[in-house]
Amino acid sequence: EVQLVESGGGFVQPGGSLRLSCAASGFSFFNYAINWVRQAPGRGLEWVSVISGSGDSPYYTDSVRGRFTISRDNSRNTVYLHMTSLRVEDTAVYYCAKDPTSVGATYPDFWGQGTLVTVSS
Amino acid sequence: IVMTQSPATLSVSLGERATLSCRAGQSVSGKVAWYQHRPGQAPRLLIYATSTRATGVPARFSGGGSGTEFTLTINSLQSEDFAVYYCQQYDDWPQNTFGQGTKLEI
């Protein structure tokens, strides 16, 4: 059974940093890209970032490029999202989502339950 | 690419059919997916490539469309189908985008 479990969310002041983790199990982790998708309060889904199965191809949406860094440790079946210079508008539930391809940013086929990030003064 | 869903809220009775619409700002080569999202749960992939059902998705869910106009049809609505539904385009790689969602309510 595919499982994705996010952790690391919490409350942080504007300008602060946070690192999210996504622990995966139930599939050949290194063969698949992993996406981060977020949902701000009362809003729809927004794709944030993706990293390929090999970890050598990260991509970001424009609003987080230069502030967020995605990485993965295939020995630990874990993907990370390091978020810096956080803004109020980054407040959202962050989901990690498995891609059905090794390259990523297609149609995520399994999602975690999400972790809430709140940026506020 | 902007994805526009309509209506924002759709009220339908149990056992009836619901048709949800999604319009892309430009042609997306059929690279459209649909997701179901119940409150407090993980989103669930229903349809990809316009009309292919994901593994384990009941046959009462069907997707269609082409060009810039796409639909998700749910036949014989059951209580567990009431949720928010999102369309997504993944043609503009990697900058895939979601619609704003349609809330399906009883």
Side-chain angles (χ1 to χ4, degrees):
Chain A
E1 178 189 8
V2 173
Q3 288 197 338
L4 298 161
V5 180
E6 303 93 337
S7 61
F11 184 95
V12 62
Q13 292 187 332
S17 299
L18 215 52
R19 189 182 79 160
L20 306 183
S21 299
C22 171
S25 61
F27 62 100
S28 298
F29 183 70
F30 58 92
N31 278 338
Y32 297 96
I34 300 292
N35 302 271
W36 285 97
V37 179
R38 67 185 178 184
Q39 183 175 32
R43 304 288 295 275
L45 299 171
E46 178 188 25
W47 176 79
V48 174
S49 181
V50 66
I51 189 164
S52 62
S54 62
D56 60 1
S57 301
Y59 294 93
Y60 305 92
T61 191
D62 290 346
S63 63
V64 309
R65 189 176 297 115
R67 299 188 298 122
F68 289 12
T69 302
I70 191 171
S71 61
R72 67 190 291 159
D73 183 343
N74 284 350
S75 68
R76 297 177 182 269
N77 283 13
T78 301
V79 171
Y80 305 97
L81 187 68
H82 187 207
M83 306 183 295
T84 65
S85 301
L86 281 161
R87 305 168 181 169
V88 171
E89 55 265 33
D90 294 319
T91 295
V93 175
Y94 285 73
Y95 298 96
C96 73
K98 170 188 167 293
D99 205 274
T101 73
S102 61
V103 177
T106 63
Y107 48 93
D109 54 359
F110 290 95
W111 299 59
Q113 296 280 351
T115 186
L116 176 62
V117 172
T118 303
V119 185
S120 175
S121 56
Chain B
I1 298 175
V2 176
M3 303 294 282
T4 304
Q5 293 186 241
S6 61
T9 303
L10 182 61
S11 298
V12 185
S13 299
L14 287 170
E16 295 191 340
R17 174 187 298 170
T19 301
L20 289 65
S21 298
C22 179
R23 172 178 293 175
Q26 63 188 66
S27 176
V28 291
S29 306
K31 293 181 179 178
V32 170
W34 290 89
Y35 301 85
Q36 177 190 67
H37 194 191
R38 300 191 186 107
Q41 295 190 19
R44 174 194 182 193
L45 174 68
L46 298 174
I47 301 284
Y48 61 93
T50 299
S51 59
T52 303
R53 275 190 301 277
T55 301
V57 175
R60 65 178 183 275
F61 290 88
S62 62
S66 64
T68 61
E69 301 285 343
F70 300 90
T71 58
L72 174 69
T73 300
I74 312 171
N75 289 307
S76 303
L77 277 164
Q78 301 186 8
S79 58
E80 61 265 30
D81 298 335
F82 293 95
V84 179
Y85 291 83
Y86 294 94
C87 63
Q88 178 216 18
Q89 68 77 22
Y90 51 97
D91 184 53
D92 184 21
W93 194 90
Q95 302 295 335
N96 62 94
T97 49
F98 294 84
Q100 79 279 20
T102 290
K103 181 180 180 181
L104 182 60
E105 62 178 27
I106 301 176

